[in-house]
Amino acid sequence: MKKIWLFLIVLLSISFAATAAGKRIAIFNPTAEGLSAEEQNWVPSSVRRRLEANFNDYTTYQLVDIQNEEQIKKIQKDAESFTHNQDTSIEIGKLVSAEIGIFSNITKANGKYILSTSVTNLTTGVRLSSVTTDSVAEAVKLFEGAGSSVNKVTVKICDDLGIKLSAIDLYVLLKGQDLSEKDQISMTQEEVSKYEKKQKELEKQIKEVSLSTELDAETRKAKLEAEKALADQQKKIAEERLERLRLQQQRLLEDQEQQKTRTAAQREKIEQAAALAEKQAKLVRQQKIDSLSVDNQIAIIEAKKQAMVDIHESVLSQEKFIKQSANDEYKARCEAIDAEPLRNGETDSKGKILPAVQQLRKERKLEIRKEIESKALEDLAKIQGKTTEQEDSLYNDIQNDLEKLRARRTISSIEDGRILDIGNYAGDKYEWDTTVSLYINDVKIFGQNANIAYSNVSGKNPVSPAAGNASAWNDYLDTVDLYDYMFRRKVPAITLEVDYSIDAMPDNYPSMYKMTLYEFRFIDTISGKVVQSITPAKSSYRFSVNPTVDISYYGKSLSANSENDSSKAKASSGEKHLIKTEEVKTGKNFKKRKKMEPMYDQKKDGGARCNLGFNIARAVSDQLMEDPASGIQLEGYCSIPLTPFMFMQLDYSWYSIPWKFSVDKNLPTELTFASFNLGFNFRPRLPGKVPNIYVLGGAGPAFSDHEQYKNSEALFGYKGAVGIDIPMADFWCFTAETGVLGLEDMEPAPYAKIGVAITIPNFKIWD
């Protein structure tokens, strides 16, 4: 009997899993109460995106894109409640091809935010889940970070729908919960494995979509690549956390072993000092003024940028929908006219339609075109009017937020313990191995050794056993042991403060920021005195935020379309079933957005070198004359790209080199050499102006004015080289090259040359 029940349970589980896997779910934009106009522009869309990301990552439900936002909003407004009654839910279900809908409402009251969410079966109107979160003090905490309101909602909804979340899923979603160090290590190991598996799945999908010929293949590929970049970063964060947890556990175990060797008096003294440091650190934390962290400030900026892109892409989608609907209606009505039966009097004696009747039908079609096109343009203008204000407002808010972000600030190890890592004591140097780090969005931006001296920490001079003072030596050892105990157990006896500022990179580096460092200060937590200051080894660091959000389209001029008016149609009488309408403009002079990478892209940016250059060289070889000698080479050349990584080069050189052509024959000064070369080049993926590294090989005819050769056929010459072009400005670069060249029956001679070249930055002969 038990086996039968077990079989039925397994069968039901499989059935439910199969059903869930096929379920289509629609996540609607949250309604809002009490939000400011500025918050209304980005907070609801940010909550929706996080919900979509969570259901995509942690469930087997299939997300459905919602195309009928305006109609749905009208129904929501008529219902006057985000919860929706049964009839309302079914009505919305008819507009979307989904079985389940998630509706949310954000309420702001007394400066705090509450997220309420319900899940409804859109075919029956039955509510499947409902959850309201605790209030949070900052809007960003609704959707950003472990333990956010959206993450808590996700956990509750999954539980109500019978979706089993693994322990690692719960850990990632609610990482704020208390766990033992051992459990944290175990969970983080699982987290690393999860992201490794996700990386492989995404790599497989990217390969598959790369071979696809479907129209949306590029869009899908870009989305998958963005997901992979995020998974790569999440894996890196988890690996770094795992390493830190293991090191912390190892140090704690070492101290526990040392604790066994200490006397009761030593243990009491150490624990009293540690308790005093903890007490003082608690007071410092309480005195700290609450404000948005850098992580949250950046998260808000990126959320507003994403909201801008969402608006922009929504406009494009609605524009496409309006145009397609207009074209479909025009085509259908024209076909209806063509299908009308001809009446007596509308045909000639042979039954053919009269020209006048044909013209009349054309005029009717033209009227239909004008009518439909006018309505389409009116709809497009409405979209433009509704979205331009939102987009402009968001852009201005982003600029204001960036200005606030630039302010010089200080972070303390009491706020973020990760920034200070004090390791083992180096007795030969009288200092503790110390690393200063800084994290943004859990990503380690930099790490630098900044060792703390014993004399600075203790206020005492170090002692050597060679001094022969046993009492002073034992006091020194006790002091080292005291601070070792506190450092290993993460007791904040020493506080680190780091002064820094953050600024956004230019628009052509989307979601990239620059951190500038000023000073590291080590402070005695109990006394509050600065015991040691260090200047950072490097003043600035760049970092990216994933996923990348590009708003560089905003503000670019539309010189080609500046004279066009969006209320005018571009109709072509030769296109029977096609209505052309002006592109909708959004934001500042809308221009269709192009995906821009924060790093140099060899394929997109004209990778192969295209230079017109002049160089001067010096060649040295024991193949010159009887003894080693040298000479001058002047060269002009033209390099033309064939592919992003390959180029051809034509050059012409003059040499003042007394080549030793054979045992008894020397070529005098004037020698010219024309060669045809093929080369390969590579530009590293770095920000800013990028050097071009290349290798080439070529051959060609050489000519001499020596009486023995000037009337003869050309000599055969050859050469090979490696070099680098370093951009100095937009249209010229510095070149350095070294290689070997030679003539018939002569061993190659090495040379080195430097020069300048005129460059054509965006020249390329491929598509």
Side-chain angles (χ1 to χ4, degrees):
M1 188 66 179
K2 287 183 179 179
K3 290 183 179 180
I4 294 174
W5 277 110
L6 181 61
F7 174 76
L8 289 173
I9 290 170
V10 171
L11 189 62
L12 286 171
S13 299
I14 294 172
S15 174
F16 175 80
T19 303
K23 293 274 188 183
R24 293 167 63 83
I25 189 167
I27 299 177
F28 300 93
N29 252 338
T31 55
E33 300 171 17
L35 295 185
S36 66
E38 182 263 340
E39 290 172 326
Q40 184 68 54
N41 285 338
W42 64 276
V43 174
S45 59
S46 298
V47 168
R48 175 182 173 176
R49 279 195 306 275
R50 180 60 65 183
L51 273 169
E52 288 177 335
N54 283 357
F55 270 81
N56 188 51
D57 288 343
Y58 301 106
T59 77
T60 56
Y61 285 98
Q62 184 180 352
L63 289 171
V64 174
D65 289 332
I66 299 168
Q67 303 291 340
N68 315 75
E69 286 282 2
E70 291 300 320
Q71 289 175 275
I72 290 168
K73 285 178 183 177
K74 184 178 183 303
I75 295 171
Q76 287 177 321
K77 186 177 180 180
D78 292 342
E80 296 182 349
S81 170
F82 86 98
T83 55
H84 308 287
N85 58 36
Q86 190 176 45
D87 293 337
T88 301
S89 300
I90 294 173
E91 188 178 355
I92 290 175
K94 292 175 181 177
L95 293 175
V96 295
S97 56
E99 300 162 75
I100 293 176
I102 295 184
F103 303 94
S104 300
N105 182 65
I106 300 164
T107 304
K108 183 180 181 182
N110 300 321
K112 293 191 175 182
Y113 304 82
I114 299 173
L115 176 63
S116 302
T117 305
S118 67
V119 182
T120 302
N121 186 316
L122 297 178
T123 59
T124 64
V126 175
R127 182 171 302 170
L128 306 175
S129 176
S130 181
V131 56
T132 298
T133 63
D134 295 333
S135 62
V136 292
E138 299 160 4
V140 69
K141 291 183 179 178
L142 287 169
F143 59 88
E144 186 67 27
S148 67
S149 299
V150 170
N151 284 4
K152 291 176 180 177
V153 162
T154 302
V155 171
K156 177 65 167 61
I157 289 175
C158 286
D159 185 51
D160 289 346
L161 296 181
I163 301 169
K164 179 67 175 175
L165 293 175
S166 67
I168 180 59
D169 289 340
L170 291 170
Y171 174 64
V172 174
L173 288 166
L174 309 173
K175 209 173 290 177
Q177 61 188 2
D178 292 331
L179 285 173
S180 68
E181 201 166 71
K182 183 179 179 182
D183 288 339
Q184 286 188 56
I185 290 173
S186 175
M187 291 291 186
T188 307
Q189 286 173 327
E190 287 185 48
E191 190 178 357
V192 172
S193 299
K194 174 187 173 181
Y195 290 128
E196 285 177 347
K197 183 179 178 181
K198 188 172 182 179
Q199 281 176 319
K200 291 177 182 177
E201 290 174 353
L202 289 168
E203 285 171 1
K204 182 181 177 182
Q205 291 178 40
I206 289 170
K207 287 181 181 178
E208 289 173 354
V209 80
S210 296
L211 301 174
S212 174
T213 57
E214 295 178 13
L215 292 177
D216 66 340
E218 282 299 318
T219 303
R220 285 162 49 207
K221 183 179 178 183
K223 184 178 179 181
L224 289 169
E225 287 174 340
E227 284 187 46
K228 185 177 181 297
L230 187 57
D232 292 344
Q233 179 174 294
Q234 289 169 325
K235 179 191 170 189
K236 182 181 177 183
I237 291 169
E239 287 175 334
E240 194 279 333
R241 188 188 328 116
L242 181 60
E243 182 182 354
R244 192 169 63 250
L245 286 167
R246 283 172 172 167
L247 182 60
Q248 187 174 324
Q249 185 183 53
Q250 177 187 342
R251 289 174 180 168
L252 182 60
L253 292 173
E254 289 173 357
D255 188 76
Q256 288 172 347
E257 288 299 314
Q258 291 183 13
Q259 186 79 332
K260 297 175 183 177
T261 65
R262 296 179 181 126
T263 65
Q266 286 174 325
R267 284 199 295 271
E268 184 180 358
K269 181 180 178 181
I270 287 172
E271 287 166 4
Q272 285 176 350
L276 184 60
E278 286 278 18
K279 182 180 178 181
Q280 187 61 32
K282 186 176 181 180
L283 290 174
V284 173
R285 290 190 189 98
Q286 290 173 346
Q287 293 169 1
K288 180 180 176 295
I289 300 173
D290 290 331
S291 61
L292 278 176
S293 67
V294 173
D295 287 8
N296 285 341
Q297 283 183 290
I298 291 176
I300 288 174
I301 291 169
E302 293 298 311
K304 290 179 180 179
K305 287 164 62 179
Q306 185 62 60
M308 277 186 69
V309 172
D310 286 349
I311 291 170
H312 172 59
E313 292 182 344
S314 172
V315 170
L316 292 179
S317 176
Q318 290 181 66
E319 179 193 70
K320 183 179 178 181
F321 176 77
I322 289 169
K323 288 181 179 181
Q324 186 61 52
S325 298
N327 286 331
D328 290 346
E329 183 182 354
Y330 174 65
K331 182 180 178 181
R333 290 175 67 176
C334 286
E335 288 174 350
I337 290 174
D338 291 337
E340 289 178 2
L342 294 171
R343 299 175 62 186
N344 293 332
E346 292 183 329
T347 62
D348 58 18
S349 60
K350 296 180 181 179
K352 292 184 179 180
I353 188 169
L354 294 174
V357 176
Q358 185 72 41
Q359 181 61 33
L360 182 61
R361 291 192 174 190
K362 284 184 179 180
E363 290 174 0
R364 287 172 61 194
K365 291 178 183 179
L366 183 59
E367 288 300 316
I368 290 170
R369 173 189 286 274
K370 290 178 180 178
E371 175 195 336
I372 294 175
E373 194 168 57
S374 175
K375 180 64 170 64
L377 288 170
E378 184 183 335
D379 291 341
L380 292 172
K382 285 181 181 178
I383 295 172
Q384 179 183 351
K386 290 179 180 178
T387 58
T388 299
E389 185 178 345
Q390 282 182 288
E391 201 170 7
D392 289 347
S393 175
L394 280 168
Y395 187 81
N396 292 331
D397 288 339
I398 289 168
Q399 301 313 306
N400 292 333
D401 291 344
L402 289 174
E403 189 61 38
K404 294 175 186 176
L405 191 65
R406 293 185 189 104
R408 182 164 169 167
R409 66 190 70 231
T410 301
I411 188 171
S412 165
S413 58
I414 288 180
E415 302 167 44
D416 186 350
R418 298 173 301 175
I419 73 171
L420 176 62
D421 182 60
I422 304 177
N424 296 325
Y425 184 72
D428 56 332
K429 298 178 181 178
Y430 303 110
E431 62 186 21
W432 278 271
D433 291 333
T434 306
T435 302
V436 174
S437 307
L438 210 58
Y439 295 78
I440 300 293
N441 291 336
D442 288 332
V443 178
K444 186 175 180 179
I445 306 304
F446 80 92
Q448 176 190 326
N449 290 332
N451 294 349
I452 304 176
Y454 168 85
S455 56
N456 292 332
V457 170
S458 65
K460 305 174 184 178
N461 292 324
V463 178
S464 169
N469 187 333
S471 176
W473 172 246
N474 285 328
D475 180 62
Y476 164 75
L477 293 179
D478 285 345
T479 304
V480 171
D481 194 28
L482 166 65
Y483 283 99
D484 252 1
Y485 173 89
M486 290 191 286
F487 295 154
R488 289 178 188 277
R489 292 176 181 259
K490 306 295 283 186
V491 175
I494 295 294
T495 301
L496 167 68
E497 288 185 349
V498 178
D499 292 343
Y500 69 102
S501 64
I502 292 179
D503 197 3
M505 296 289 288
D507 283 347
N508 56 325
Y509 297 103
S511 297
M512 284 193 73
Y513 296 83
K514 181 177 75 172
M515 174 187 291
T516 303
L517 303 174
Y518 301 103
E519 185 182 47
F520 304 151
R521 290 185 302 279
F522 295 96
I523 301 170
D524 183 290
T525 306
I526 296 174
S527 68
K529 293 181 179 179
V530 177
V531 297
Q532 186 172 323
S533 297
I534 294 177
T535 301
K538 185 179 176 182
S539 62
S540 64
Y541 295 81
R542 293 180 180 183
F543 62 94
S544 297
V545 176
N546 275 325
T548 299
V549 184
D550 177 14
I551 59 168
S552 60
Y553 70 88
Y554 185 91
K556 292 184 178 179
S557 72
L558 258 187
S559 57
N561 297 324
S562 60
E563 297 179 1
N564 294 331
D565 185 86
S566 62
S567 64
K568 296 180 181 179
K570 287 183 179 180
S572 172
S573 59
E575 294 175 305
K576 185 175 180 181
H577 303 304
L578 180 62
I579 295 175
K580 291 185 177 180
T581 55
E582 187 66 33
E583 291 287 343
V584 177
K585 297 178 182 179
T586 61
K588 271 188 186 176
N589 299 323
F590 159 78
K591 183 176 181 180
K592 189 170 181 180
R593 187 171 68 93
K594 292 183 179 179
K595 179 177 174 60
M596 296 186 69
E597 299 293 341
M599 299 297 184
Y600 180 89
D601 190 323
Q602 179 131 342
K603 290 187 177 180
K604 293 181 181 178
D605 297 337
R609 53 200 300 248
C610 181
N611 298 342
L612 300 173
F614 176 80
N615 291 322
I616 184 169
R618 194 79 176 174
V620 179
S621 174
D622 60 3
Q623 292 295 314
L624 304 177
M625 298 296 291
E626 296 295 336
D627 300 309
S630 65
I632 299 296
Q633 170 198 356
L634 300 179
E635 178 188 67
Y637 64 91
C638 174
S639 298
I640 302 174
L642 299 175
T643 75
F645 299 93
M646 185 178 181
F647 64 92
M648 68 177 181
Q649 178 170 300
L650 301 174
D651 53 42
Y652 191 79
S653 306
W654 172 85
Y655 300 90
S656 65
I657 303 174
W659 289 101
K660 180 182 177 184
F661 182 62
S662 64
V663 177
D664 299 318
K665 301 171 184 175
N666 296 316
L667 290 179
T669 54
E670 293 190 18
L671 174 71
T672 57
F673 179 32
S675 63
F676 172 81
N677 308 270
L678 287 177
F680 296 90
N681 70 309
F682 169 72
R683 297 193 184 193
R685 289 177 63 83
L686 299 170
K689 289 185 170 62
V690 187
N692 177 51
I693 303 164
Y694 64 90
V695 57
L696 64 84
F703 304 89
S704 171
D705 67 345
H706 191 281
E707 61 182 18
Q708 184 173 352
Y709 298 105
K710 62 184 180 182
N711 295 321
S712 66
E713 295 180 2
L715 302 168
F716 175 74
Y718 56 91
K719 75 175 194 178
V722 294
I724 183 170
D725 295 328
I726 303 173
M728 306 302 290
D730 287 340
F731 297 100
W732 69 278
C733 67
F734 170 80
T735 297
E737 182 178 298
T738 183
V740 294
L741 53 87
L743 302 175
E744 298 173 10
D745 302 327
M746 187 200 79
E747 292 184 14
Y751 71 89
K753 69 180 183 182
I754 58 174
V756 295
I758 298 171
T759 65
I760 306 175
N762 296 318
F763 181 85
K764 49 187 175 183
I765 59 175
W766 64 92
D767 184 5

